[in-house]
Amino acid sequence: MTILSADNLTKSFGATVALHGASMSLEPGEILAVMGPSGSGKSTLLHCLAGIFAPDSGTVTFDARRLDTMSDRERTRLRRTDFGFVFQFGELVPELTAVDNVALPLLLAGMRRGTAYARARSWFPRLELAGLEDRRTGELSGGQAQRVAVGRALVTGPKVLFADEPTGALDSLTGEKVMDLMVDTVRAEGTAVILVTHDARVASHADRQITVRDGQVIASGVQV
Ligand code: ADP
Ligand code: ADP
């Protein structure tokens, strides 16, 4: 069974060929690490899979629906309801509190304020952030802030989490803690993950790894 797949994607930026016939697939609930050297096309692949960039050719299919031919409006709605995102720098709003940041995607989805905040607060114990709900995120440590970002990405119950170097800005011990928590949480929720990383230790949390080189997926293996 496949929830998200890319078939024969190409994407160029001017004269730079970023993707050159890239194909991959993701199963529901699977954690897939996407590895490869800098500049190999990992981020571009992730952006195409997430419907942020349109590929020049090839197809992206999510839950039996073609993402590459969908209208912008439909794709934006799908991104809000079915996809979650965590990046290297959490991109939290630093002036807002931790709970404001987690509630934000629920408010954007049209949930009533009281319900959204109750749901957002209910996530704090499992993020190991109990007591920090009303702290401004600019005042949190890097690891705490990244756990807020994980909560914000998962609070809407997405089917796929896109994580691009989610621990890239953290020291390795803090990064491992964030990864452990992220993995426990997605396992409990049944969320599939596309985990882009160049760090083998981060990738070791995945069920399976693929390697991107020169814009193609060149290797695929089950995690040992
Ligand atoms: P990775 O994530 O593996 O480092 P990227 O997908 O970011 O690789 O980049 C693949 C290639 O495409 C690189 O040569 C990069 O410089 C180029 N590239 C990516 N995005 C853009 C862009 N928006 N404009 C121009 N070139 C880009
Ligand atoms: P990563 O560190 O995740 O591999 P990069 O540093 O390659 O990411 O790229 C980060 C973002 O910047 C990418 O999403 C890509 O679209 C954009 N980018 C990468 N290379 C270029 C470039 N040469 N010109 C413009 N934008 C780029």
Side-chain angles (χ1 to χ4, degrees), residues 8-24:
N8 211 14
L9 298 185
T10 66
K11 177 77 179 172
S12 295
F13 297 100
T16 305
V17 179
L19 293 179
H20 174 63
S23 301
M24 53 77 64

Side-chain angles (χ1 to χ4, degrees), residues 98 123-133 140 143-145 147-148:
W123 272 75
F124 278 70
R126 62 193 299 199
L127 297 169
E128 296 174 22
L129 291 170
L132 297 177
E133 291 86 345
L140 297 177
Q144 289 167 344
R147 280 180 281 145
V148 173

Side-chain angles (χ1 to χ4, degrees), residues 13 16 36-44 46-47 53 88 164-165 196 198:
F13 297 100
T16 305
S38 184
S40 58
K42 302 183 298 296
S43 294
T44 306
L46 180 137
H47 286 124
F53 292 167
Q88 181 165 356
D164 193 354
E165 301 283 4
V196 173
H198 65 273

